[in-house]
């Protein structure tokens, strides 16, 4: 029996990679325009980094990590997200001496043992951005605006909604959790099983529950915005003012809590209504105190991650997969030898060339040219070698003309340029 890919893990096929490349290029362009530099990080880290960074009580650390002991006896975890590893690198390489904020981005696969469904996978990809060492609320607003510029560049911004919130500082949150528990406990019986467990473990997550039965209770829950300290409230007010100044629309959503424990003050998410339950395409926030908790300096930070699978799912299929521009069809061995150097010269000049290898008859090769969707075919047999000219056929119109072998590569390069084709 053939071996299949692991459940929740998917291949990104050639028919999809055009979209992926577009998304990755848009991310790179946008982030670099804002001064972010790329950092490439390992796919696995010491388990302790995530336990300390993301929080022992989070779903991610409690039940979603791919953790194993390596042959040396160390506990290793495939990264479920990139922030903890990026901060580990920031500390390890002494980035704190650089001018603040230190702006870094990274992209690649993440691993979470979640129940797979449309838009949710066990290996998925994120583009991740962090601005480190700057406490000012203007950075929060700038980071959020950049995220939305990324979606604008892809033409998706109209189909998405930006939600922002503040979950206050650690003490504010502790006070709020006490209030929330006081409110929720009397309603515990009507909450779903998962929420009843969360009540004890991580009550904030109740606000995030999607189960219909829980909604009436959640809707009447006290707002975390009423529990903010004056400093945290001021910070949030500034973030909103700067977003207004940047012309960035948003909705304040007090129930927006995030699934990772490191956030303080600003949190945000970008949601779509088009992907069913997996409606978050990006999320992030501020995490002052986390760098210090990981053994580094007391530098604050703010950032986000984009779920690339979900962005790709939103893109239309019109991105034509890259296809060759021309098929060279030698009829016989002598013609193959005559066309090989032409093929090489055209490819070196950047033209995408497909080649027949001399063994098939002309009708079969023309059929292949149609299937490949090439703009031109070049046909050469023994007669053409004698005359010194190959036949150049425009596949659309079927029009044919003769081109000397010596001029063929340059002719193809010229046609490809005129076409804007590869
Ligand atoms: P997160 O909300 O856990 O945040 O993940 C960010 C995004 O990754 C989600 O909004 C979603 O689009 C995508 N995502 C998460 N899990 C999956 C999955 N199983 N399959 C497909 N896509 C998924 C973080 O990871 C934080 N590190 C973000 C951050 C960076 N905060 C500050 N800096």
């Amino acid at each position: 029996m053939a071996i299949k890919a692991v459940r929740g893990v998917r291949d990104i096929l050639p028919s999809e990679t055009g979209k992926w490349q577009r998304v990755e290029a848009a991310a790179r362009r946008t982030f670099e325009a804002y001064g972010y530099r790329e950092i490439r990080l390992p796919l696995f880290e010491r388990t302790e980094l995530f336990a300390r960074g993301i929080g022992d009580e989070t779903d991610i650390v409690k039940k979603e990590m791919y953790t194993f002991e390596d042959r040396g006896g160390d506990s290793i975890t495939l990264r479920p997200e990139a922030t903890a590893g990026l901060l580990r690198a920031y500390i390890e390489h002494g980035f704190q001496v650089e001018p603040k904020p230190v702006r870094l981005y990274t992209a690649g696969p993440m691993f979470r043992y979640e129940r797979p469904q449309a838009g949710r996978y066990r290996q998925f990809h994120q583009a991740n951005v962090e601005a480190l060492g700057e406490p000012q609320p203007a950075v929060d607003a700038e980071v959020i605006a950049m995220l939305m510029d990324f979606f604008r560049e892809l033409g998706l911004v109209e189909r998405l909604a930006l939600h922002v919130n503040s979950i206050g500082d650690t003490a504010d949150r502790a006070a709020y959790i006490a209030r929330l528990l006081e409110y929720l406990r009397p309603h515990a019986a009507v909450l779903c099983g998962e929420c009843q467990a969360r009540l004890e473990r991580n009550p904030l997550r109740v606000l995030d529950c999607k189960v219909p039965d829980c909604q009436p209770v959640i809707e009447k829950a006290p707002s975390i915005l009423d529990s903010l300290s004056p400093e945290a409230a001021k910070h949030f007010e500034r973030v909103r003012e700067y977003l207004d100044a940047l012309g960035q629309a948003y909705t304040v959503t007090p129930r927006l809590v995030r699934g990772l424990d490191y956030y303080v003050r600003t949190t945000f998410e970008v949601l779509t209504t088009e992907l069913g339950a997996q409606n978050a395409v990006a999320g992030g926030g501020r995490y002052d105190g986390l760098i210090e908790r990981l053994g580094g300096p007391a530098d604050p930070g703010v950032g986000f991650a984009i779920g690339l699978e979900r962005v790709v799912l939103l893109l239309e299929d019109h991105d034509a997969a890259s296809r060759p521009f021309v098929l060279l069809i030698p009829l016989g061995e002598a013609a193959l030898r005559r066309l090989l150097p032409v093929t090489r010269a055209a490819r070196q000049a950047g033209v995408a060339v497909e080649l027949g290898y001399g063994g098939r008859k002309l009708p079969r090769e023309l059929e292949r040219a149609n299937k490949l969707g090439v703009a031109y075919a070049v046909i050469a047999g023994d007669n053409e070698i004698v005359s010194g000219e190959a036949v150049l056929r425009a596949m659309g119109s079927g029009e044919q003309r003769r081109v000397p072998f010596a001029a063929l590569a340059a002719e193809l390069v010229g046609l490809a340029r005129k076409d804007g084709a590869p």
Side-chain angles (χ1 to χ4, degrees):
M1 207 170 65
I3 298 169
K4 292 214 170 129
V6 173
R7 184 167 134 81
V9 171
R10 49 191 292 283
D11 303 302
I12 299 172
L13 300 175
S15 56
E16 304 168 85
T17 45
K19 285 201 235 181
W20 279 85
Q21 288 169 4
R22 218 180 115 205
V23 169
E24 285 156 1
R28 209 172 275 284
R29 250 192 325 270
T30 310
F31 303 161
E32 290 186 356
Y34 277 80
Y36 287 81
R37 292 173 301 154
E38 186 181 14
I39 180 167
R40 299 195 183 195
L41 301 164
L43 302 195
F44 53 86
E45 301 271 359
R46 291 175 179 282
T47 303
E48 197 194 338
L49 175 73
F50 302 115
R52 222 201 287 175
I54 300 170
D56 282 328
E57 286 305 316
T58 59
D59 284 350
I60 296 181
V61 172
K62 266 193 121 73
K63 48 188 194 194
E64 295 173 3
M65 296 204 304
Y66 282 90
T67 297
F68 59 96
E69 197 173 283
D70 71 9
R71 285 169 195 277
D74 289 324
S75 180
I76 299 294
T77 293
L78 299 186
R79 61 181 187 186
E81 60 111 48
T83 309
L86 190 141
L87 299 189
R88 195 261 316 133
Y90 176 88
I91 298 164
E92 195 166 328
H93 302 286
F95 274 98
Q96 69 264 24
V97 301
E98 295 194 3
K100 307 281 176 54
V102 177
R103 301 178 193 271
L104 298 170
Y105 76 89
T106 195
M110 310 293 154
F111 307 87
R112 295 184 193 176
Y113 192 81
E114 293 190 85
R115 199 165 50 76
Q117 51 178 261
R120 190 162 75 194
Y121 310 100
R122 290 182 173 171
Q123 172 173 325
F124 60 98
H125 298 74
Q126 288 183 343
N128 197 94
V129 168
E130 314 292 349
L132 304 164
E134 180 57 73
Q136 295 303 325
V139 187
D140 310 34
E142 187 191 50
V143 160
I144 293 170
M146 175 174 77
L147 173 60
M148 297 315 286
D149 280 352
F150 161 78
F151 289 118
R152 187 173 305 275
E153 168 127 8
L154 289 171
L156 292 176
V157 82
E158 312 295 337
R159 294 157 63 191
L160 300 171
L162 168 64
H163 294 261
V164 300
N165 190 26
S166 173
I167 57 169
D169 290 312
T170 316
D172 307 343
R173 204 154 58 250
Y176 175 70
I177 288 174
R179 277 183 64 202
L180 183 65
L181 276 174
E182 201 177 306
Y183 165 78
L184 287 175
R185 283 223 170 94
H187 298 288
V190 298
L191 294 175
C192 71
E194 184 74 6
C195 279
Q196 293 182 357
R198 285 182 183 130
L199 217 51
E200 302 313 319
R201 231 179 46 227
N202 200 349
L204 277 184
R205 297 295 293 168
V206 172
L207 298 178
D208 217 22
C209 182
K210 307 261 165 29
V211 172
D213 283 351
C214 297
Q215 298 315 307
V217 178
I218 294 171
E219 272 158 28
K220 296 209 182 62
S223 166
I224 197 163
L225 294 175
D226 297 330
S227 297
L228 301 188
S229 67
E231 299 75 40
K234 182 91 203 147
H235 185 97
F236 190 42
E237 189 185 322
R238 283 284 164 75
V239 172
R240 283 175 293 159
E241 285 167 9
Y242 295 140
L243 284 172
D244 293 338
L246 285 160
Q248 177 58 56
Y250 56 88
T251 306
V252 175
T253 304
R255 277 183 286 142
L256 171 66
V257 291
R258 306 258 307 122
L260 304 93
D261 275 354
Y262 48 59
Y263 294 110
V264 294
R265 301 193 172 190
T266 316
T267 56
F268 52 92
E269 251 169 13
V270 178
L271 304 183
T272 165
T273 51
E274 297 173 40
L275 297 178
Q278 303 314 310
N279 62 348
V281 293
R286 183 166 272 284
Y287 45 82
D288 304 353
L290 178 57
I291 297 179
E292 202 172 11
R293 207 156 60 244
L294 294 176
D299 288 352
V302 54
F304 62 75
I306 303 165
L308 298 182
E309 275 79 3
R310 297 182 189 176
V311 177
V312 168
L313 279 171
L314 288 176
L315 290 180
E316 311 297 337
D317 270 328
H318 63 240
D319 312 53
S322 66
R323 55 168 80 139
F325 178 68
V326 55
L327 172 65
L328 303 193
I329 309 174
L331 301 171
E333 180 61 21
L336 174 62
R337 283 168 198 248
R338 191 65 198 79
L339 287 180
L340 278 174
V342 176
T343 311
R344 188 147 199 227
R347 284 173 171 164
Q348 284 173 348
V351 182
V353 176
E354 186 57 61
L355 178 66
Y357 296 99
R360 276 191 286 253
K361 296 249 178 332
L362 184 57
R364 285 278 309 282
E365 286 290 9
L366 287 176
E367 201 179 300
R368 187 157 81 101
N370 278 324
K371 282 206 181 125
L372 288 168
V374 294
Y376 291 92
V378 169
I379 304 153
D382 293 339
N383 292 342
E384 284 70 29
I385 293 186
V386 171
S387 73
E389 291 179 329
V391 173
L392 177 69
R393 178 187 175 97
M395 294 304 293
S397 62
E399 226 167 87
Q400 300 196 158
R401 62 191 164 89
R402 295 185 167 269
V403 179
F405 283 103
L408 196 51
E411 179 70 24
L412 294 175
V413 173
L415 288 171
R417 296 245 161 89
K418 214 163 72 194
D419 235 59

